[in-house]
């Protein structure tokens, strides 16, 4: 009988581990950093990919970034005001986010945006998730 329970219990344990949030310091709360870009009409797919790849690379070079996602707006509501590309960074804490802002790698990313000249506008929203 125990033999028949072993596999389901193992699968349950694996599923539970897969849904655990990234660990943070005691008392720290994760911070989501939402960045939404409106690219200039002349921005090429290659330039946008270069920006996205550089943004993604920040996770490996700046401590405290525990997640990165990106996507292109596909809302049928038509209320995006021309903002099309969304980038979501998750920081382990507000302190990690605060350290990211002046970090030299983040500054280099800003320089890349300036050098490419493809960004028309951006807005940023930070929040700590509340359940």
């Amino acid at each position: 009988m125990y033999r028949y329970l072993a596999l389901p219990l193992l699968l349950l344990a694996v599923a539970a581990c897969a849904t655990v949030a990234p660990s943070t310091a005691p008392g720290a709360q994760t911070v989501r950093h939402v960045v939404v870009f409106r690219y200039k009409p002349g921005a090429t797919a290659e330039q946008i990919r270069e920006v996205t790849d550089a943004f993604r690379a920040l996770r490996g070079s700046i401590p405290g970034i525990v997640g990165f996602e990106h996507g292109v707006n596909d809302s049928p509501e038509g209320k995006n005001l021309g903002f099309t590309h969304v980038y979501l960074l998750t920081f382990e804490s507000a302190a990690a986010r605060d350290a990211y802002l002046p970090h030299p790698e983040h500054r280099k990313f800003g320089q890349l945006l300036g050098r490419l000249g493809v960004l028309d506008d951006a807005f940023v929203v930070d929040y700590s998730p509340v359940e």
Side-chain angles (χ1 to χ4, degrees):
M1 176 169 187
Y2 292 110
R3 182 173 42 155
Y4 298 110
L5 290 176
L7 182 58
L9 289 174
L10 177 62
L11 292 174
L12 182 62
V14 169
C17 290
T19 60
V20 173
S23 63
T24 59
Q29 185 174 6
T30 59
V31 171
R32 304 282 199 270
H33 181 67
V34 182
V35 180
V36 187
F37 286 166
R38 180 171 57 214
Y39 287 101
K40 291 180 180 178
T44 67
E46 182 178 314
Q47 290 170 320
I48 293 171
R49 187 173 25 261
E50 184 176 357
V51 169
T52 300
D53 290 347
F55 216 157
R56 180 186 299 109
L58 294 178
R59 182 176 184 186
S61 61
I62 300 178
I65 301 174
V66 295
F68 174 83
E69 296 178 33
H70 70 94
V72 178
N73 176 58
D74 66 359
S75 172
E77 295 179 287
K79 298 198 176 274
N80 63 315
L81 304 175
F83 290 88
T84 55
H85 291 70
V86 180
Y87 303 90
L88 172 65
L89 284 78
T90 300
F91 292 93
E92 64 186 14
S93 65
R97 184 265 326 268
D98 294 348
Y100 153 87
L101 294 172
H103 194 282
E105 292 299 317
H106 183 237
R107 289 180 192 257
K108 281 174 43 178
F109 174 71
Q111 291 168 352
L112 170 69
L113 288 174
R115 188 172 65 252
L116 290 175
V118 295
L119 195 60
D120 184 40
D121 202 358
F123 70 89
V124 177
V125 177
D126 291 356
Y127 69 96
S128 294
V130 178
E131 294 185 28

